[in-house]
mmCIF file of all heavy atoms in Angstrom:
data_model
loop_
_atom_site.group_PDB
_atom_site.id
_atom_site.type_symbol
_atom_site.label_atom_id
_atom_site.label_comp_id
_atom_site.label_asym_id
_atom_site.label_seq_id
_atom_site.Cartn_x
_atom_site.Cartn_y
_atom_site.Cartn_z
ATOM 1 N N ARG A 6 97.008 114.209 94.672
ATOM 2 C CA ARG A 6 95.617 114.081 94.477
ATOM 3 C C ARG A 6 95.329 112.775 93.765
ATOM 4 O O ARG A 6 95.942 112.427 92.821
ATOM 5 C CB ARG A 6 94.947 115.242 93.707
ATOM 6 C CG ARG A 6 93.591 115.072 93.266
ATOM 7 C CD ARG A 6 92.854 116.307 92.686
ATOM 8 N NE ARG A 6 92.422 117.074 93.790
ATOM 9 C CZ ARG A 6 91.450 117.963 93.663
ATOM 10 N NH1 ARG A 6 90.949 118.295 92.454
ATOM 11 N NH2 ARG A 6 90.950 118.675 94.759
ATOM 12 N N TRP A 7 94.247 112.017 94.335
ATOM 13 C CA TRP A 7 94.009 110.726 93.758
ATOM 14 C C TRP A 7 92.430 110.657 93.677
ATOM 15 O O TRP A 7 91.675 111.400 94.390
ATOM 16 C CB TRP A 7 94.456 109.591 94.666
ATOM 17 C CG TRP A 7 95.977 109.680 94.869
ATOM 18 C CD1 TRP A 7 96.879 109.019 94.123
ATOM 19 C CD2 TRP A 7 96.679 110.382 95.833
ATOM 20 N NE1 TRP A 7 98.139 109.254 94.604
ATOM 21 C CE2 TRP A 7 98.043 110.112 95.716
ATOM 22 C CE3 TRP A 7 96.271 111.201 96.983
ATOM 23 C CZ2 TRP A 7 99.069 110.684 96.512
ATOM 24 C CZ3 TRP A 7 97.263 111.840 97.765
ATOM 25 C CH2 TRP A 7 98.615 111.440 97.515
ATOM 26 N N LEU A 8 91.992 109.618 92.954
ATOM 27 C CA LEU A 8 90.609 109.309 92.934
ATOM 28 C C LEU A 8 90.369 108.088 93.839
ATOM 29 O O LEU A 8 91.121 107.009 93.730
ATOM 30 C CB LEU A 8 90.190 108.900 91.493
ATOM 31 C CG LEU A 8 88.691 108.720 91.205
ATOM 32 C CD1 LEU A 8 87.856 109.923 91.450
ATOM 33 C CD2 LEU A 8 88.583 108.162 89.791
ATOM 34 N N LEU A 9 89.404 108.022 94.728
ATOM 35 C CA LEU A 9 89.087 106.973 95.489
ATOM 36 C C LEU A 9 88.713 105.750 94.620
ATOM 37 O O LEU A 9 87.874 105.801 93.697
ATOM 38 C CB LEU A 9 87.900 107.206 96.456
ATOM 39 C CG LEU A 9 87.505 106.052 97.406
ATOM 40 C CD1 LEU A 9 88.691 105.757 98.358
ATOM 41 C CD2 LEU A 9 86.256 106.476 98.167
ATOM 42 N N ARG A 10 89.349 104.579 94.894
ATOM 43 C CA ARG A 10 89.120 103.381 94.094
ATOM 44 C C ARG A 10 88.359 102.331 95.039
ATOM 45 O O ARG A 10 89.040 101.737 95.892
ATOM 46 C CB ARG A 10 90.453 102.799 93.649
ATOM 47 C CG ARG A 10 90.374 101.492 92.809
ATOM 48 C CD ARG A 10 91.730 101.145 92.327
ATOM 49 N NE ARG A 10 91.668 100.039 91.452
ATOM 50 C CZ ARG A 10 91.853 98.728 91.868
ATOM 51 N NH1 ARG A 10 92.025 98.464 93.193
ATOM 52 N NH2 ARG A 10 91.726 97.778 91.046
ATOM 53 N N ALA A 11 87.173 102.244 94.852
ATOM 54 C CA ALA A 11 86.311 101.326 95.662
ATOM 55 C C ALA A 11 85.890 100.108 95.039
ATOM 56 O O ALA A 11 85.024 100.057 94.193
ATOM 57 C CB ALA A 11 84.963 102.208 96.195
ATOM 58 N N ASP A 12 86.672 99.080 95.372
ATOM 59 C CA ASP A 12 86.398 97.746 94.796
ATOM 60 C C ASP A 12 85.422 97.033 95.630
ATOM 61 O O ASP A 12 85.784 96.445 96.725
ATOM 62 C CB ASP A 12 87.741 97.006 94.641
ATOM 63 C CG ASP A 12 87.546 95.600 93.936
ATOM 64 O OD1 ASP A 12 86.401 95.283 93.610
ATOM 65 O OD2 ASP A 12 88.605 94.929 93.797
ATOM 66 N N THR A 13 84.268 96.944 95.301
ATOM 67 C CA THR A 13 83.177 96.381 96.096
ATOM 68 C C THR A 13 83.275 94.846 96.147
ATOM 69 O O THR A 13 82.570 94.119 96.926
ATOM 70 C CB THR A 13 81.797 96.648 95.534
ATOM 71 O OG1 THR A 13 81.686 96.265 94.203
ATOM 72 C CG2 THR A 13 81.525 98.164 95.650
ATOM 73 N N ARG A 14 84.240 94.265 95.402
ATOM 74 C CA ARG A 14 84.541 92.774 95.438
ATOM 75 C C ARG A 14 85.603 92.513 96.515
ATOM 76 O O ARG A 14 85.887 91.319 96.714
ATOM 77 C CB ARG A 14 84.971 92.317 94.145
ATOM 78 C CG ARG A 14 83.888 92.474 93.029
ATOM 79 C CD ARG A 14 84.589 92.216 91.603
ATOM 80 N NE ARG A 14 85.648 93.076 91.374
ATOM 81 C CZ ARG A 14 86.480 93.068 90.314
ATOM 82 N NH1 ARG A 14 86.219 92.129 89.401
ATOM 83 N NH2 ARG A 14 87.445 93.894 90.200
ATOM 84 N N HIS A 15 86.206 93.591 97.074
ATOM 85 C CA HIS A 15 87.327 93.311 98.032
ATOM 86 C C HIS A 15 86.739 92.487 99.304
ATOM 87 O O HIS A 15 85.777 93.006 99.891
ATOM 88 C CB HIS A 15 87.964 94.635 98.409
ATOM 89 C CG HIS A 15 89.280 94.477 99.175
ATOM 90 N ND1 HIS A 15 89.388 94.026 100.398
ATOM 91 C CD2 HIS A 15 90.498 94.551 98.701
ATOM 92 C CE1 HIS A 15 90.591 93.982 100.841
ATOM 93 N NE2 HIS A 15 91.402 94.290 99.710
ATOM 94 N N PRO A 16 87.348 91.480 99.675
ATOM 95 C CA PRO A 16 86.788 90.583 100.667
ATOM 96 C C PRO A 16 86.840 91.166 102.155
ATOM 97 O O PRO A 16 86.208 90.676 103.044
ATOM 98 C CB PRO A 16 87.480 89.254 100.588
ATOM 99 C CG PRO A 16 88.870 89.671 100.032
ATOM 100 C CD PRO A 16 88.580 90.791 99.015
ATOM 101 N N ILE A 17 87.707 92.095 102.282
ATOM 102 C CA ILE A 17 87.913 92.684 103.674
ATOM 103 C C ILE A 17 87.204 94.061 103.754
ATOM 104 O O ILE A 17 86.383 94.232 104.614
ATOM 105 C CB ILE A 17 89.412 92.811 104.037
ATOM 106 C CG1 ILE A 17 90.112 91.552 103.718
ATOM 107 C CG2 ILE A 17 89.586 93.216 105.487
ATOM 108 C CD1 ILE A 17 89.617 90.315 104.459
ATOM 109 N N LEU A 18 87.482 94.952 102.904
ATOM 110 C CA LEU A 18 87.019 96.313 102.949
ATOM 111 C C LEU A 18 85.520 96.306 102.640
ATOM 112 O O LEU A 18 84.741 97.090 103.196
ATOM 113 C CB LEU A 18 87.739 97.213 101.932
ATOM 114 C CG LEU A 18 89.167 97.528 102.304
ATOM 115 C CD1 LEU A 18 89.841 98.322 101.145
ATOM 116 C CD2 LEU A 18 89.358 98.261 103.625
ATOM 117 N N PHE A 19 85.073 95.355 101.743
ATOM 118 C CA PHE A 19 83.679 95.211 101.446
ATOM 119 C C PHE A 19 83.236 93.753 101.816
ATOM 120 O O PHE A 19 83.008 92.955 101.011
ATOM 121 C CB PHE A 19 83.359 95.529 100.007
ATOM 122 C CG PHE A 19 83.449 96.935 99.565
ATOM 123 C CD1 PHE A 19 84.697 97.539 99.369
ATOM 124 C CD2 PHE A 19 82.251 97.715 99.621
ATOM 125 C CE1 PHE A 19 84.758 98.864 99.022
ATOM 126 C CE2 PHE A 19 82.409 99.112 99.294
ATOM 127 C CZ PHE A 19 83.575 99.613 99.029
ATOM 128 N N ASP A 20 83.353 93.542 103.064
ATOM 129 C CA ASP A 20 83.106 92.167 103.650
ATOM 130 C C ASP A 20 81.662 91.723 103.339
ATOM 131 O O ASP A 20 81.434 90.556 103.198
ATOM 132 C CB ASP A 20 83.355 92.198 105.193
ATOM 133 C CG ASP A 20 82.782 91.007 105.958
ATOM 134 O OD1 ASP A 20 83.498 89.953 105.865
ATOM 135 O OD2 ASP A 20 81.748 91.164 106.537
ATOM 136 N N HIS A 21 80.727 92.737 103.215
ATOM 137 C CA HIS A 21 79.360 92.358 102.886
ATOM 138 C C HIS A 21 78.820 93.558 102.090
ATOM 139 O O HIS A 21 79.426 94.571 102.018
ATOM 140 C CB HIS A 21 78.531 92.118 104.168
ATOM 141 C CG HIS A 21 78.558 93.336 105.057
ATOM 142 N ND1 HIS A 21 79.596 93.427 106.020
ATOM 143 C CD2 HIS A 21 77.717 94.399 105.286
ATOM 144 C CE1 HIS A 21 79.404 94.635 106.740
ATOM 145 N NE2 HIS A 21 78.318 95.072 106.288
ATOM 146 N N GLN A 22 77.669 93.272 101.478
ATOM 147 C CA GLN A 22 77.094 94.325 100.488
ATOM 148 C C GLN A 22 76.659 95.562 101.234
ATOM 149 O O GLN A 22 75.945 95.430 102.276
ATOM 150 C CB GLN A 22 75.910 93.659 99.758
ATOM 151 C CG GLN A 22 75.440 94.554 98.646
ATOM 152 C CD GLN A 22 74.424 93.925 97.780
ATOM 153 O OE1 GLN A 22 73.942 92.840 98.097
ATOM 154 N NE2 GLN A 22 74.023 94.539 96.684
ATOM 155 N N VAL A 23 77.087 96.670 100.775
ATOM 156 C CA VAL A 23 76.664 97.974 101.390
ATOM 157 C C VAL A 23 76.345 98.946 100.233
ATOM 158 O O VAL A 23 76.778 98.737 99.011
ATOM 159 C CB VAL A 23 77.758 98.555 102.260
ATOM 160 C CG1 VAL A 23 77.958 97.739 103.548
ATOM 161 C CG2 VAL A 23 79.099 98.607 101.569
ATOM 162 N N ASP A 24 75.668 100.053 100.562
ATOM 163 C CA ASP A 24 75.279 101.050 99.493
ATOM 164 C C ASP A 24 76.183 102.324 99.493
ATOM 165 O O ASP A 24 75.900 103.216 98.959
ATOM 166 C CB ASP A 24 73.854 101.403 99.580
ATOM 167 C CG ASP A 24 73.519 102.044 100.945
ATOM 168 O OD1 ASP A 24 74.314 102.696 101.532
ATOM 169 O OD2 ASP A 24 72.340 101.879 101.356
ATOM 170 N N HIS A 25 77.324 102.207 100.298
ATOM 171 C CA HIS A 25 78.175 103.408 100.437
ATOM 172 C C HIS A 25 79.613 102.869 100.636
ATOM 173 O O HIS A 25 79.772 101.712 101.064
ATOM 174 C CB HIS A 25 77.702 104.343 101.463
ATOM 175 C CG HIS A 25 77.617 103.796 102.891
ATOM 176 N ND1 HIS A 25 76.497 103.099 103.275
ATOM 177 C CD2 HIS A 25 78.486 103.752 103.853
ATOM 178 C CE1 HIS A 25 76.753 102.671 104.470
ATOM 179 N NE2 HIS A 25 77.833 103.006 104.862
ATOM 180 N N VAL A 26 80.553 103.675 100.708
ATOM 181 C CA VAL A 26 81.851 103.336 101.023
ATOM 182 C C VAL A 26 82.027 103.146 102.527
ATOM 183 O O VAL A 26 81.815 104.137 103.278
ATOM 184 C CB VAL A 26 82.909 104.289 100.473
ATOM 185 C CG1 VAL A 26 84.373 103.815 100.760
ATOM 186 C CG2 VAL A 26 82.755 104.420 98.970
ATOM 187 N N PRO A 27 82.482 102.045 103.069
ATOM 188 C CA PRO A 27 82.681 101.833 104.521
ATOM 189 C C PRO A 27 83.664 102.775 105.119
ATOM 190 O O PRO A 27 84.609 103.156 104.375
ATOM 191 C CB PRO A 27 83.039 100.324 104.636
ATOM 192 C CG PRO A 27 82.546 99.731 103.370
ATOM 193 C CD PRO A 27 82.776 100.720 102.400
ATOM 194 N N GLY A 28 83.510 103.125 106.359
ATOM 195 C CA GLY A 28 84.488 104.011 107.017
ATOM 196 C C GLY A 28 85.827 103.493 107.029
ATOM 197 O O GLY A 28 86.831 104.181 106.945
ATOM 198 N N MET A 29 86.003 102.029 107.227
ATOM 199 C CA MET A 29 87.407 101.489 107.255
ATOM 200 C C MET A 29 88.051 101.691 105.892
ATOM 201 O O MET A 29 89.319 101.787 105.788
ATOM 202 C CB MET A 29 87.284 100.004 107.678
ATOM 203 C CG MET A 29 87.054 99.827 109.084
ATOM 204 S SD MET A 29 88.217 100.496 110.233
ATOM 205 C CE MET A 29 89.787 99.822 109.681
ATOM 206 N N ALA A 30 87.264 101.612 104.771
ATOM 207 C CA ALA A 30 87.935 101.838 103.462
ATOM 208 C C ALA A 30 88.410 103.310 103.328
ATOM 209 O O ALA A 30 89.467 103.529 102.700
ATOM 210 C CB ALA A 30 86.907 101.513 102.341
ATOM 211 N N LEU A 31 87.729 104.218 103.939
ATOM 212 C CA LEU A 31 88.084 105.618 104.011
ATOM 213 C C LEU A 31 89.418 105.807 104.737
ATOM 214 O O LEU A 31 90.269 106.549 104.430
ATOM 215 C CB LEU A 31 87.051 106.516 104.427
ATOM 216 C CG LEU A 31 85.764 106.490 103.586
ATOM 217 C CD1 LEU A 31 84.693 107.363 104.171
ATOM 218 C CD2 LEU A 31 86.045 106.841 102.131
ATOM 219 N N LEU A 32 89.439 105.120 105.901
ATOM 220 C CA LEU A 32 90.690 105.112 106.693
ATOM 221 C C LEU A 32 91.831 104.549 105.943
ATOM 222 O O LEU A 32 93.008 105.113 105.963
ATOM 223 C CB LEU A 32 90.580 104.364 107.984
ATOM 224 C CG LEU A 32 89.629 104.945 109.096
ATOM 225 C CD1 LEU A 32 89.537 104.101 110.208
ATOM 226 C CD2 LEU A 32 90.040 106.304 109.546
ATOM 227 N N GLU A 33 91.671 103.496 105.222
ATOM 228 C CA GLU A 33 92.758 102.904 104.388
ATOM 229 C C GLU A 33 93.166 103.937 103.287
ATOM 230 O O GLU A 33 94.309 104.028 102.886
ATOM 231 C CB GLU A 33 92.269 101.581 103.775
ATOM 232 C CG GLU A 33 93.286 100.935 102.869
ATOM 233 C CD GLU A 33 94.662 100.585 103.573
ATOM 234 O OE1 GLU A 33 94.668 100.495 104.747
ATOM 235 O OE2 GLU A 33 95.573 100.397 102.848
ATOM 236 N N ALA A 34 92.209 104.676 102.693
ATOM 237 C CA ALA A 34 92.519 105.702 101.693
ATOM 238 C C ALA A 34 93.378 106.674 102.299
ATOM 239 O O ALA A 34 94.340 107.250 101.651
ATOM 240 C CB ALA A 34 91.194 106.264 101.069
ATOM 241 N N ALA A 35 92.996 107.155 103.486
ATOM 242 C CA ALA A 35 93.779 108.233 104.180
ATOM 243 C C ALA A 35 95.213 107.653 104.520
ATOM 244 O O ALA A 35 96.216 108.367 104.155
ATOM 245 C CB ALA A 35 93.132 108.551 105.468
ATOM 246 N N ARG A 36 95.307 106.490 104.953
ATOM 247 C CA ARG A 36 96.688 105.917 105.100
ATOM 248 C C ARG A 36 97.493 105.761 103.958
ATOM 249 O O ARG A 36 98.659 106.175 103.851
ATOM 250 C CB ARG A 36 96.546 104.487 105.783
ATOM 251 C CG ARG A 36 97.847 103.939 106.315
ATOM 252 C CD ARG A 36 98.346 102.811 105.456
ATOM 253 N NE ARG A 36 97.504 101.642 105.603
ATOM 254 C CZ ARG A 36 97.625 100.692 106.481
ATOM 255 N NH1 ARG A 36 98.517 100.760 107.421
ATOM 256 N NH2 ARG A 36 96.727 99.747 106.532
ATOM 257 N N GLN A 37 96.899 105.316 102.839
ATOM 258 C CA GLN A 37 97.669 105.202 101.557
ATOM 259 C C GLN A 37 98.038 106.577 100.963
ATOM 260 O O GLN A 37 99.138 106.696 100.467
ATOM 261 C CB GLN A 37 96.871 104.413 100.488
ATOM 262 C CG GLN A 37 96.601 102.978 100.874
ATOM 263 C CD GLN A 37 96.048 102.119 99.774
ATOM 264 O OE1 GLN A 37 95.949 102.517 98.717
ATOM 265 N NE2 GLN A 37 95.572 100.834 100.235
#
């Protein structure tokens, strides 16, 4: 069990400003 770590400064997962966690970041969380 882990806590999702959403770094909004990440240049790929947060390529631009959003108000929620992008789907690709969730896929990466699943893979990790």
